Amino acid sequence: MTTTESVRKIPQVLTVAGSDSGAGAGIQADLKVCAARGVYCASVITAVTAQNTRGVQSVHLLPPEFVSEQLKSVLSDFEFDVVKTGMLPSTEIVEVLLQNLSDFPVRALVVDPVMVSTSGHVLAGSSILSIFRERLLPIADIITPNVKEASALLGGVRIETVSDMRSAAKSLHEMGPRFVLVKGGDLPDSSDSVDVYFDGKEFHELRSPRVATRNTHGTGCTLASCIAAELAKGSSMLSAVKVAKRFVDNALDYSKDIAIGSGMQGPFDHFFGLKKDPQSSRCSIFNPDDLFLYAVTDSRMNRRWNRSIVDAVKAAIEGGATIIQLREKEAETREFLEEAKACVDICRSHGVSLLINDRIDIALACNADGVHVGQSDMPVDLVRCLLGPDKIIGVSCKTPEQAHQAWKDGADYIGSGGVFPTNTKANNRTIGLDGLKEVCEASKLPVVAIGGIGISNAESVMQIDAPNLKGVAVVSALFDQDCVLTQAKKLHKTLKESKREI
Ligand SMILES: Nc1ncnc2c1ncn2[C@@H]1O[C@H](COP(=O)(O)OP(=O)(O)O)[C@@H](O)[C@H]1O
Ligand SMILES: Cc1ncc(COP(=O)(O)O)c(N)n1
Ligand SMILES: [Mg+2]
């Protein structure tokens, strides 16, 4: 990293927990939750479980010395905002955790006192109760026991109602944690899933209708990690807990009908992505060679030649267009969306990417492959945030400075021009072949040339001798023509020949 680049502090959580081979709970859930909530998460493993959707078959504890090695390694290096604990299966492991936390103090500690899995398997026996009560709970910012764990920590009191949960939260608060959340996911006979939050003065009941599903494995780990993630981002405790409860609830609801594993405790989907049609998402990353013959639509031209945008796109692809951009400056949103959806289907069936000019909302709504934006449209770093890492982003650039910025902001390619004068775009400064060459030389991204390019001059563009110039983008050369298919074929042939000559 150069000294002139500014650095960004990323919120960071450390989870100290057990591995779940089925990946629904434990360390694996913690990593997924933090990633889903935009927080970096490191992991110290205390135990490895052989576990699936039927239950826990076996548990292997790591030697306390080795848990300590892991803790030292990451605590001495990272600057964690929050440490979250899950399965701490022996007194010795709790000892080494306490020692390391005193050597490397952290801002906040979230303790999920995991003892029994949802399937009823003991993950930490009663031997850990006294060290939990006497030394871990007093330094915790929040503890998140379920009803069974709250009962065990309180010496076996019965917790069967929300009122019992309130009394338990109060008694647990007296053991020293700043906040207590008694979780009611396993409370028998309740149509709502109620958690009781106590801050030492006031109670809050967090309620949500119980989601009818078998996929509840890992709800406890997810809730605690999400609290940790929100705290790391700077939330207050109550707001972190409310966000976490809503996250669990939404994830359970989204995943209620997914089938993973054959047992009674299925995992759920922290990324809200598993149910998406696998065919509808792009499986390969952007290929710069797709810029070779880049067709940009224009509705006025289609109207003039009396054809639909869908027919125009189809003909362009059949003639050899390697990527399509829908550029609609006048269309109503609803109409544009319908056209875009139809074009997505055609492009996908031909394996050609479809980009939308300027309209991020339309690109998201029709699940296009990406967008192309100009210098006065939405800033590219924001577009990347909105579209995520998989979508293609192109940016129009006239200068080396703009090309550098596009690369820094996370674009995939730049479009540079107008190379020649054009009537398609009003008030567009022409940069000429020299300007294009200058931008290509400065650009770390692949470039497609645009502006006034057609069969007669495409060759001169491709011969400017810039390895990152991957192709030409055309509007009227394809669409302001009697036959789009014929023109596309001719242009494709010209480009191929000029490429061979270089
Ligand atoms: N079926 C469900 N519907 C909605 N929320 C649930 C359901 N089961 C658990 N929860 C919520 O998930 C979180 C974890 O609770 P719980 O299952 O009691 O903890 P644990 O997984 O540690 O046993 C709580 O916020 C609880 O209210
Ligand atoms: C390694 C490990 N840690 C924690 C849990 C608790 O799971 P749940 O959140 O479903 O109670 C688990 N089943 N396995
Ligand atoms: Mg549970």
Side-chain angles (χ1 to χ4, degrees):
M1 196 186 312
T2 63
T3 46
T4 51
E5 301 274 354
S6 62
V7 292
R8 272 173 71 152
K9 169 90 175 71
I10 302 298
Q12 294 167 38
V13 166
L14 169 64
T15 171
V16 183
S19 160
D20 167 8
S21 53
I27 287 276
Q28 289 81 356
D30 300 343
L31 290 169
K32 284 188 269 188
V33 173
C34 287
R37 302 300 305 160
V39 170
Y40 187 81
C41 184
S43 54
V44 163
I45 300 182
T46 56
V48 182
T49 68
Q51 187 171 182
N52 57 20
T53 60
R54 298 189 203 126
V56 182
Q57 289 83 45
S58 168
V59 177
H60 176 73
L61 271 56
L62 265 74
E65 306 76 51
F66 194 73
V67 175
S68 190
E69 294 288 336
Q70 296 177 70
L71 284 165
K72 270 203 192 72
S73 172
V74 289
L75 285 166
S76 65
D77 182 17
F78 295 67
E79 272 181 50
F80 294 112
D81 300 287
V82 183
V83 170
K84 178 248 156 182
T85 67
M87 180 176 175
L88 298 172
S90 74
T91 312
E92 294 78 10
I93 287 176
V94 183
E95 292 272 9
V96 299
L97 172 67
L98 291 167
Q99 184 57 52
N100 276 280
L101 288 179
S102 105
D103 294 344
F104 304 98
V106 289
R107 248 186 42 216
L109 177 63
V110 174
V111 172
D112 183 20
V114 172
M115 290 178 209
V116 187
S117 72
T118 312
S119 54
H121 198 282
V122 174
L123 297 169
S126 52
S127 61
I128 51 101
L129 284 173
S130 57
I131 194 165
F132 265 45
R133 288 184 194 124
E134 285 151 29
R135 296 183 53 204
L136 188 60
L137 302 201
I139 62 164
D141 290 277
I142 184 165
I143 61 167
T144 62
N146 61 24
V147 283
K148 282 188 211 134
E149 291 153 354
S151 163
L153 286 166
L154 293 169
V157 296
R158 287 162 76 97
I159 305 177
E160 284 165 355
T161 62
V162 173
S163 157
D164 295 342
M165 288 167 70
R166 288 168 88 103
S167 314
K170 197 152 188 262
S171 308
L172 288 167
H173 189 266
E174 282 159 16
M175 293 182 179
R178 287 173 53 225
F179 300 92
V180 176
L181 183 73
V182 178
K183 300 172 295 189
D186 303 330
L187 199 69
D189 310 324
S190 90
S191 61
D192 279 352
S193 190
V194 189
D195 300 346
V196 172
Y197 175 84
F198 184 57
D199 61 12
K201 285 196 193 104
E202 277 184 71
F203 289 98
H204 293 264
E205 281 177 21
L206 308 172
R207 253 171 213 280
S208 56
R210 188 174 288 279
V211 179
T213 175
R214 63 184 265 284
N215 301 323
T216 59
H217 178 53
T219 44
C221 306
T222 299
L223 188 81
S225 301
C226 192
I227 294 172
E230 298 310 311
L231 291 176
K233 288 190 269 184
S235 279
S236 71
M237 190 60 84
L238 182 57
S239 119
V241 168
K242 283 183 175 170
V243 169
K245 170 87 175 155
R246 200 160 357 111
F247 179 76
V248 171
D249 202 35
N250 287 346
L252 287 179
D253 191 54
Y254 174 86
S255 325
K256 58 180 183 274
D257 55 355
I258 64 175
I260 297 175
S262 57
M264 284 315 292
Q265 275 94 41
F268 56 95
D269 180 5
H270 296 88
F271 292 104
F272 302 84
L274 293 174
K275 290 201 294 188
K276 283 194 192 134
D277 175 4
Q279 300 308 318
S280 75
S281 60
R282 215 155 55 100
C283 51
S284 63
I285 52 166
F286 174 59
N287 178 1
D289 291 335
D290 289 348
L291 299 174
F292 188 58
L293 176 46
Y294 187 138
V296 183
T297 66
D298 184 301
S299 46
R300 276 171 313 166
M301 291 175 197
N302 290 331
R303 234 173 284 131
R304 193 174 310 145
W305 292 95
N306 198 21
R307 59 185 154 235
S308 72
I309 186 168
V310 173
D311 288 341
V313 164
K314 206 162 163 222
I317 294 175
E318 282 165 4
T322 50
I323 191 163
I324 303 289
Q325 181 194 130
L326 298 190
R327 184 167 175 274
E328 282 289 335
K329 295 292 181 192
E330 290 150 21
E332 299 283 349
T333 298
R334 187 70 67 92
E335 183 196 346
F336 188 11
L337 178 59
E338 289 313 314
E339 286 173 347
K341 281 183 179 164
C343 292
V344 163
D345 289 344
I346 289 171
C347 288
R348 217 146 263 159
S349 69
H350 287 81
V352 168
S353 293
L354 179 84
L355 310 183
I356 306 289
N357 184 291
D358 187 9
R359 295 285 303 267
I360 319 294
D361 56 340
I362 298 281
L364 285 166
C366 73
N367 193 21
D369 298 293
V371 296
H372 184 92
V373 290
Q375 291 294 326
S376 50
D377 296 330
M378 174 105 57
V380 176
D381 52 349
L382 273 180
V383 179
R384 180 55 80 202
C385 280
L386 291 170
L387 294 186
D390 294 338
K391 298 289 183 192
I392 303 170
I393 301 177
V395 191
S396 299
C397 298
K398 284 188 189 292
T399 66
E401 294 72 30
Q402 290 173 349
H404 182 69
Q405 191 63 40
W407 167 76
K408 259 179 80 177
D409 288 344
D412 294 296
Y413 75 88
I414 63 168
S416 196
V419 180
F420 304 114
T422 166
N423 294 326
T424 309
K425 197 170 169 181
N427 306 322
N428 187 25
R429 183 168 66 84
T430 301
I431 62 169
L433 288 172
D434 291 342
L436 173 66
K437 189 156 190 216
E438 201 191 337
V439 171
C440 286
E441 279 166 0
S443 175
K444 297 189 189 181
L445 295 172
V447 183
V448 61
I450 188 163
I453 304 174
I455 291 169
S456 62
N457 57 17
E459 195 176 348
S460 65
V461 174
M462 293 314 284
Q463 281 174 346
I464 66 160
D465 190 25
N468 57 347
L469 179 64
K470 296 293 177 187
V472 300
V474 291
V475 189
S476 37
L478 286 189
F479 296 116
D480 211 3
Q481 309 287 334
D482 179 24
C483 179
V484 176
L485 177 68
T486 313
Q487 292 306 313
K489 279 184 177 163
K490 279 191 191 160
L491 190 53
H492 193 269
K493 189 161 169 262
T494 307
L495 286 169
K496 270 223 137 126
E497 281 165 6
S498 62
K499 201 175 163 192
R500 225 170 281 136
E501 281 167 25
I502 299 170

